[in-house]
Amino acid sequence: MLIRRSFQTLAATFVVALALPAQAQFRVEISGVGATQLPIAIAKFRDEERATPSLSISSIVRADLERSGQFRSVDAPGALDENSAPVFTEWRSRAADALAAGSITRLADGRFDVRFKLWDVVKGTMIAGQSTAVEAGDLRLAAHRIADTIYEKLTGNKGVFSTRIAYVTKGGGRYTVRVADADGEGGQVALTSAEPIISPAWSPDGKQLAYVSFERQKAVVYTQDTATGARREIANFRGSNSAPSWSPDGQTLAVTLSRDTGSQVYLIDRSGSIVRKLTSSNAIDTEATFAPDGRGVYFVSDRGGGPQIYRTSTSGGNAERVTFSGNYNISPAISPDGRTLAYISRVGGAFRLHTLDLASANAQPIAVTDTSDDEHPSFAPNGRLIIYASRAQGRDVLMTTTLDGKIKAKLLSTTADVREPSWGPYGR
Amino acid sequence: MNLTQSLSTRGALLAVVGAALLAGCSSVPLDSTVPVETRNTTAGAGGTGGTTGGAGQSRVEPVDLTKNAGNASGLGRVIYFDFDSYVVKDEYRGTIDSYAKALAADRKKHLSVEGHTDERGGREYNLALGQKRAEAVAKSLALLGAGDSQVEAVSFGKERPAVQGSDEAAWAKNRRAELNYR
């Protein structure tokens, strides 16, 4: 933690709806109550409107930091760039603890030089400075990397803004897997199909997606290299093949197969050969996900009646029940430190994102949302945010939330249904 | 982390930075007296596209299956299930029997039994519930003479509803198994 003092508590609800004139589809909707947030001023980057009229670097940085729940934006009037000498007393009077400013210059070779500096206003010192030359297609990435640098310098934790997410959109009779920036923007199409696609899952190296496609009129698990488009059918046994999840070392996948009747969890290798049948019950066993240590697997089973989350060892043995509250608990996701379980629990008729502290014996589940149709949680690689699908205004939407549920953001503004998010690892 | 370094060498360093940029270095610190991350954003392939058509590490190659799609299942016979139930009701005994007889009479025939659920709950768990419905129908077919290898039980979960809607009337029509010859 670099700036330790004068964090401020924001007691009021705030909603930031920030529409950029040049790129109307980039709209940030963030809401939350009562979080402890570091006030930061991010000045408009010099020449950003002229050099890159289609996107605002400073707005992307600002939105990233606000979405994290750990920052609050302070107005940054006036012209500033990385060469400015900020008058710190002035910024202190604006109640900013940190200040960032920068510039964008178009280079002779067509690339853009993106520069920025970050100052600790409280101490009156510079904390970071960076210059990056990027192609036009990398400008959003450059902005996210600036946000990552600021986040890491000021919180001591690694930022996730330059990571990628995958999700499925449904619209116009098509299902599309998209790979996008962590804010949901800049999406590129990985796969388009007339048939449903569900359950995308990133490989640990961030190069491949596993998913379930119904293109053969049944559920078949594929892996796809996102950079080349090369696909591989890795589970197409008799019956249904679904719910892929990668082991932390990327060598094994857990999948749900019904090849021997009944949905059961199997481990398969990268070529699709069965390594082991992991569960053996007369009930439904599905939605396996690996613990970060690679030795445990969490999964959903209705062996006790309704669906509950269980844990078993990858080397076999008995399964132990993990969730006890409620009679419908599904879609487990485990935080990168292995301490927090995120899952969907039915409360009354509502399907709601919950968390459970796995590290303490008597922990009670915490409802993180008050919505009714939450699905498919996935942790950010730093464990500080969860992305999940929900419904708003009759559409499937993607949301992020802090683990305490205090700061939520809706990603993307689109008329398509957006669902099945999977947060990719660090790096690209 | 050292936060107290001076900014005095900044101007001179910027000149160095400029030269480094021209030399093709993509990411350099603005002030080496301060700890700064140096990042190889464009190492190798020279780009990490964030928007359309990006090159390098972020490039995503699109695959389009819609051009060779088209064998969506036709309208087969439908067997409906009660809420939270996987029991094939007696009223469908005749339907099952006629399919079983047809399969027994022609061992080259293959039948796909597709299980479906209503929209409530998770996609994967519903896929497994639909599978359970399909397997119940497949078991009935086998008991009445269909060969095991002639019948494949599969599931679409809640992904392919027969009717849209979020009321009991719609849900009842979506809790079903469809029988389609392949």
Side-chain angles (χ1 to χ4, degrees):
Chain A
M1 205 67 105
L2 292 174
I3 295 182
R4 289 190 185 81
R5 75 162 196 78
S6 74
F7 276 63
Q8 299 200 343
T9 299
L10 191 72
T13 301
F14 68 97
V15 174
V16 182
L18 178 146
L20 302 177
Q23 202 188 29
Q25 78 272 20
F26 185 67
R27 186 180 161 81
V28 186
E29 295 176 35
I30 302 168
S31 62
V33 178
T36 302
Q37 295 167 316
L38 191 146
I40 185 169
I42 297 163
K44 190 173 281 184
F45 279 32
R46 177 171 53 76
D47 286 341
E48 70 176 17
E49 281 164 337
R50 193 159 55 87
T52 58
S54 64
L55 88 182
S56 161
I57 297 260
S58 60
S59 300
I60 293 170
V61 173
R62 205 174 295 131
D64 280 352
L65 294 171
E66 289 182 346
R67 205 178 312 104
S68 77
Q70 293 171 260
F71 291 88
R72 177 168 57 83
S73 257
V74 173
D75 276 350
L80 275 176
D81 65 18
E82 75 281 4
N83 294 318
S84 302
V87 181
F88 293 113
T89 50
E90 187 186 309
W91 291 99
R92 279 181 210 122
S93 72
R94 294 183 206 277
D97 282 8
L99 167 69
S103 67
I104 301 167
T105 310
R106 194 181 179 104
L107 300 172
D109 64 5
R111 293 187 301 165
F112 294 88
D113 180 19
V114 182
R115 301 180 177 205
F116 89 101
K117 271 193 189 149
L118 172 67
W119 292 274
D120 180 333
V121 168
V122 178
K123 292 178 181 160
T125 57
M126 185 179 112
I127 304 172
Q130 201 169 289
S131 166
T132 309
V134 296
E135 293 170 24
D138 293 334
L139 280 163
R140 302 196 91 261
L141 178 59
H144 292 310
R145 285 191 167 152
I146 290 170
D148 278 343
T149 300
I150 295 172
Y151 181 90
E152 186 165 351
K153 293 291 177 191
L154 297 180
T155 70
N157 297 309
K158 211 168 168 183
V160 293
F161 310 116
S162 63
T163 60
R164 297 194 289 181
I165 58 171
Y167 52 83
V168 178
T169 58
K170 182 192 175 197
R174 288 170 174 226
Y175 298 81
T176 304
V177 179
R178 290 175 203 270
V179 174
D181 291 353
D183 60 0
E185 302 291 334
Q188 299 183 69
V189 172
L191 178 69
T192 307
S193 177
E195 301 299 338
I197 303 164
I198 62 170
S199 305
W202 282 103
S203 63
D205 65 6
K207 295 188 187 315
Q208 297 199 74
L209 284 172
Y211 52 80
V212 179
S213 167
F214 291 82
E215 68 202 64
R216 291 171 174 265
Q217 302 306 313
K218 58 179 277 189
V220 173
V221 179
Y222 295 81
T223 55
Q224 179 173 329
D225 185 304
T226 58
T228 66
R231 306 173 79 214
R232 181 171 206 163
E233 193 182 273
I234 58 156
N236 183 10
F237 297 95
R238 185 178 155 87
S240 290
N241 310 265
S242 68
S245 165
W246 299 80
S247 65
D249 68 4
Q251 297 305 307
T252 310
L253 290 97
V255 290
T256 300
L257 308 178
S258 65
R259 64 193 286 267
D260 300 322
T261 72
S263 298
Q264 296 286 297
V265 178
Y266 292 73
L267 300 181
I268 61 173
D269 65 23
R270 292 169 65 103
S271 66
S273 301
I274 291 177
V275 175
R276 188 180 302 123
K277 186 179 182 191
L278 193 63
T279 64
S280 289
S281 72
N282 296 319
I284 289 170
D285 292 344
T286 187
E287 289 198 293
T289 187
F290 282 85
D293 65 7
R295 294 198 295 268
V297 168
Y298 292 80
F299 65 100
V300 169
S301 178
D302 60 9
R303 58 187 68 188
Q308 296 288 345
I309 293 161
Y310 291 75
R311 186 184 197 279
T312 191
S313 165
T314 47
S315 53
N318 291 333
E320 61 183 45
R321 188 166 157 181
V322 175
T323 52
F324 291 92
S325 301
N327 56 16
Y328 189 104
N329 295 314
I330 59 163
S331 303
I334 307 295
S335 63
D337 65 5
R339 293 175 61 95
T340 307
L341 168 71
Y343 63 104
I344 305 298
S345 184
R346 188 177 62 197
V347 180
F351 298 89
R352 211 161 270 173
L353 176 62
H354 283 64
T355 59
L356 180 68
D357 182 359
L358 295 168
S360 56
N362 298 314
Q364 291 300 306
I366 297 163
V368 183
T369 73
D370 56 6
T371 38
S372 307
D373 297 290
D374 301 342
E375 290 186 342
H376 210 272
S378 175
F379 276 91
N382 69 356
R384 299 288 173 133
L385 289 173
I386 301 169
I387 191 168
Y388 62 102
S390 192
R391 277 185 81 76
Q393 286 94 45
R395 291 282 176 200
D396 294 347
V397 297
L398 297 189
M399 304 286 299
T400 61
T401 180
T402 50
L403 266 60
D404 61 9
K406 283 180 175 165
I407 304 292
K408 294 194 179 70
K410 177 171 168 273
L411 305 188
L412 290 161
S413 295
T414 167
T415 54
D417 284 316
V418 196
R419 47 169 75 154
E420 301 287 276
S422 173
W423 207 316
Y426 288 119
R428 294 196 171 191
Chain B
M1 287 292 173
N2 190 343
L3 303 182
T4 56
Q5 302 288 350
S6 95
L7 308 180
S8 60
T9 57
R10 188 188 63 213
L13 276 156
L14 278 175
V16 176
V17 164
L21 284 170
L22 290 174
C25 179
S26 63
S27 181
V28 288
L30 280 182
D31 189 332
S32 63
T33 62
V34 170
V36 162
E37 313 264 319
T38 299
R39 299 182 177 202
N40 263 332
T41 51
T42 54
T48 48
T51 52
T52 52
Q57 300 145 278
S58 310
R59 166 80 181 149
V60 173
E61 180 65 29
V63 177
D64 189 350
L65 302 176
T66 58
K67 295 186 181 73
N68 50 19
N71 66 330
S73 55
L75 278 179
R77 294 297 291 269
V78 182
I79 292 166
Y80 295 98
F81 289 80
D82 289 339
F83 172 66
D84 207 22
S85 171
Y86 312 92
V87 176
V88 183
K89 290 189 275 189
D90 269 352
E91 64 187 277
Y92 299 109
R93 168 72 51 165
T95 304
I96 303 271
D97 197 33
S98 67
Y99 272 89
K101 282 198 169 68
L103 289 164
D106 182 355
R107 293 294 178 188
K108 291 194 293 295
K109 269 193 161 165
H110 290 275
L111 187 75
S112 176
V113 182
E114 299 171 356
H116 300 265
T117 68
D118 66 39
E119 66 179 358
R120 292 169 291 176
R123 298 182 188 281
E124 282 287 353
Y125 187 61
N126 272 314
L127 188 70
L129 292 176
Q131 183 69 26
K132 204 166 157 182
R133 286 192 173 130
E135 286 174 5
V137 173
K139 194 175 171 188
S140 299
L141 288 163
L143 288 172
L144 294 169
D148 266 357
S149 62
Q150 287 180 283
V151 180
E152 184 176 19
V154 299
S155 175
F156 281 80
K158 67 175 183 178
E159 306 307 320
R160 195 186 273 172
V163 297
Q164 299 295 330
S166 295
D167 52 19
E168 181 46 40
W171 292 335
K173 286 203 166 60
N174 290 332
R175 291 189 300 263
R176 70 200 194 278
E178 294 186 6
L179 304 165
N180 289 295
Y181 284 114
R182 288 265 171 260

